[in-house]
Amino acid sequence: LRYDWVMEIIAKAVIFDRHNHILVLKRSPTHPRFPHHLDFPGGIVEAGEQADEAVKREISEESGLEIDLDALNLVYSQPVSDHLLHLVFSTKLDQPRPNITLSWEHAGFEWLAYDDLISKGTPINVDKYYLTVLEYLDSR
């Protein structure tokens, strides 16, 4: 998918394991935005990049997981302003809770059931992209 009319696109991924646990990352204390906050793999779609390719790249960089492009499904789109679009992709893995290799951006990870993720609450001044993913999960 290509959205040339938008100045900035942020694409995040909800990764489910075989038992429907969701991969949740924890940002590192040195992360420039929202250190220590919960996060999902993803980030900025670079100029000329397809959104699904960007999310595949970000998943690999942030978690070490290699996901097939065909396995990524665009499940949620939220225009935030005339110049910002949030996209949420989803994929399901065949194995339960695979090991993750974190990048410098993240200091930890968990595989959480949806109810456990929601019970963690929402931090004050949370990243809007995190909220977009929660909105998608709530709408399922």
Side-chain angles (χ1 to χ4, degrees):
L1 294 173
R2 193 177 192 116
Y3 296 89
D4 290 330
W5 55 271
V6 177
M7 182 184 297
E8 184 172 54
I9 303 168
I10 306 297
K12 292 286 186 169
V14 178
I15 302 173
F16 295 95
D17 77 352
R18 180 188 305 159
H19 302 296
N20 287 324
H21 292 103
I22 301 164
L23 175 61
V24 181
L25 305 174
K26 183 177 180 186
R27 289 189 176 179
S28 71
T30 58
H31 197 287
R33 299 189 67 227
F34 307 100
H36 303 287
H37 281 213
L38 297 179
D39 194 13
F40 298 97
I44 296 172
V45 177
E46 296 173 2
E49 190 174 33
Q50 299 290 338
D52 56 352
E53 292 170 349
V55 108
K56 177 185 177 353
R57 173 183 52 76
E58 290 282 353
I59 291 169
S60 177
E61 290 172 4
E62 295 178 355
S63 72
L65 294 172
E66 296 300 329
I67 305 294
D68 238 350
L69 273 180
D70 295 338
L72 286 171
N73 300 299
L74 178 63
V75 293
Y76 195 74
S77 175
Q78 181 185 61
V80 177
S81 72
D82 289 343
H83 303 290
L84 180 61
L85 177 66
H86 290 178
L87 300 177
V88 179
F89 286 81
S90 178
T91 191
K92 185 156 185 174
L93 306 176
D94 290 334
Q95 67 268 38
R97 299 180 185 197
N99 195 32
I100 299 301
T101 304
L102 296 171
S103 71
W104 67 269
E105 294 179 85
H106 298 96
F109 71 93
E110 295 179 88
W111 288 96
L112 296 173
Y114 172 75
D115 290 341
D116 295 331
L117 173 61
I118 297 306
S119 72
K120 288 192 173 280
T122 306
I124 297 171
N125 298 322
V126 70
D127 186 339
K128 287 180 176 62
Y129 316 127
Y130 183 81
L131 294 177
T132 298
V133 174
L134 293 182
E135 286 174 22
Y136 158 68
L137 290 169
D138 288 342
S139 72
R140 291 181 39 232

